[in-house]
Amino acid sequence: MKIDFLNTTFNPSFSAIKVAKTRNLTNNMLTEIDLYKLYRGDRPFLQKLAETVRYKKLLPDLSNNMQDRWQNILNYCITKAFKDENTSYIFVSLDKICGIMTYQKDYNVINLDGICSIPVRINERIKSLRKTMFYQLFKDAQELNMKGIHLNAITDGPFELISKYEELGFKPDKKPSRYISMFCNKHRISEQLQEFPYELEYTETGDTKHLNLVKFLV
């Protein structure tokens, strides 16, 4: 799938700002992940990301169907991140891009459009990435005084996701189908944010310098 933004006028791709650094110690293994917030000038970077990441190469042990499914999820995230109304983050570990998350606000609810992990090496994904992504999401929701977060969980993806989202406080509100609508209310968001510091060390950087993320591409 090629995402073509060539008809749009871009500013130079030096717009992402590093917003936080995280450290997570799980099973005596330290994982460090940096968070970058995307801006309008990062659209050329998103184009490059879509052209560079290939799950058939990065996850050769998966079936062709699952490789294609994962590729489509990434491309969907990139397409959504391209929209002006979306807030989007790139996650970096071991000097490689390891994930993307994008959402939009709908009145007093956050709609999580997509999250996707990106292997940093062949068959190697970053541990604790999901925790880091959702900590940032919950933190944004609380700071924006949102009533909750909505997402559509896929049921035909590379991994079983419903139970993982339930562990994070999301509840399904529709009958099972290819997508399951789930919601995490304000109370559960607050509970999760109180739990995360025991699992995740999060430090805001206070940076204002705009960076080019292309150097982190796999």
Side-chain angles (χ1 to χ4, degrees), residues 100-155:
I100 182 173
M101 176 176 74
T102 184
Y103 70 80
Q104 60 179 293
K105 299 185 290 292
D106 184 8
Y107 296 102
N108 53 11
V109 171
I110 281 180
N111 285 313
L112 178 60
D113 284 325
I115 58 173
C116 187
S117 66
I118 300 171
V120 293
R121 300 187 185 97
I122 293 176
N123 291 324
E124 183 180 342
R125 296 184 301 124
I126 294 298
K127 299 182 184 300
S128 306
L129 176 61
R130 187 176 76 255
K131 289 181 182 178
T132 303
M133 288 176 160
F134 276 91
Y135 181 83
Q136 186 65 51
L137 184 67
F138 290 150
K139 181 175 180 294
D140 285 0
Q142 187 175 74
E143 291 177 352
L144 292 167
N145 197 29
M146 296 286 107
K147 287 188 176 180
I149 302 168
H150 170 266
L151 62 83
N152 286 318
I154 61 173
T155 58

Side-chain angles (χ1 to χ4, degrees), residues 14 29 66 157 183 216:
F14 293 85
M29 180 178 293
M66 285 297 99
F183 189 78
F216 296 127

Side-chain angles (χ1 to χ4, degrees), residues 20-204:
K21 302 174 65 173
T22 68
R23 291 161 53 92
N24 184 288
L25 186 63
T26 303
N27 297 327
N28 294 319
M29 180 178 293
L30 177 65
T31 302
E32 297 181 321
I33 302 174
D34 295 338
L35 285 70
Y36 293 82
K37 190 172 183 179
L38 297 182
Y39 291 87
R40 185 178 179 85
D42 288 301
R43 289 173 173 177
F45 158 75
L46 289 171
Q47 173 86 58
K48 190 69 174 177
L49 181 66
E51 294 170 350
T52 302
V53 176
R54 290 292 175 262
Y55 287 92
K56 289 186 183 297
K57 175 183 176 182
L58 293 170
L59 296 174
D61 295 340
L62 288 184
S63 68
N64 287 336
N65 285 341
M66 285 297 99
Q67 291 168 344
D68 291 342
R69 188 74 176 105
W70 210 320
Q71 193 74 51
N72 288 336
I73 292 170
L74 174 64
N75 290 343
Y76 181 80
C77 288
I78 291 172
T79 300
K80 289 293 184 178
F82 187 73
K83 295 179 177 293
D84 287 340
E85 61 267 26
N86 274 52
T87 298
S88 305
Y89 294 93
I90 290 291
F91 301 80
V92 174
S93 186
L94 301 176
D95 290 325
K96 299 290 185 182
I97 292 172
C98 62
I100 182 173
M101 176 176 74
T102 184
Y103 70 80
Q104 60 179 293
K105 299 185 290 292
D106 184 8
Y107 296 102
N108 53 11
V109 171
I110 281 180
N111 285 313
L112 178 60
D113 284 325
I115 58 173
C116 187
S117 66
I118 300 171
V120 293
R121 300 187 185 97
I122 293 176
N123 291 324
E124 183 180 342
R125 296 184 301 124
I126 294 298
K127 299 182 184 300
S128 306
L129 176 61
R130 187 176 76 255
K131 289 181 182 178
T132 303
M133 288 176 160
F134 276 91
Y135 181 83
Q136 186 65 51
L137 184 67
F138 290 150
K139 181 175 180 294
D140 285 0
Q142 187 175 74
E143 291 177 352
L144 292 167
N145 197 29
M146 296 286 107
K147 287 188 176 180
I149 302 168
H150 170 266
L151 62 83
N152 286 318
I154 61 173
T155 58
D156 61 346
F159 303 104
E160 196 282 318
L161 294 174
I162 307 305
S163 62
K164 297 183 184 300
Y165 290 145
E166 288 179 328
E167 291 173 2
L168 290 166
F170 288 85
K171 301 295 183 184
D173 59 10
K174 286 187 177 181
K175 294 180 180 179
S177 63
R178 187 181 181 188
Y179 297 94
I180 295 181
S181 178
M182 305 186 75
F183 189 78
C184 185
N185 63 35
K186 189 173 185 177
H187 175 69
R188 292 293 289 144
I189 289 170
S190 179
E191 287 183 341
Q192 290 295 315
L193 285 172
Q194 292 176 32
E195 292 293 329
F196 268 111
Y198 295 101
E199 306 173 2
L200 186 73
E201 180 184 315
Y202 180 100
T203 305
E204 293 187 17

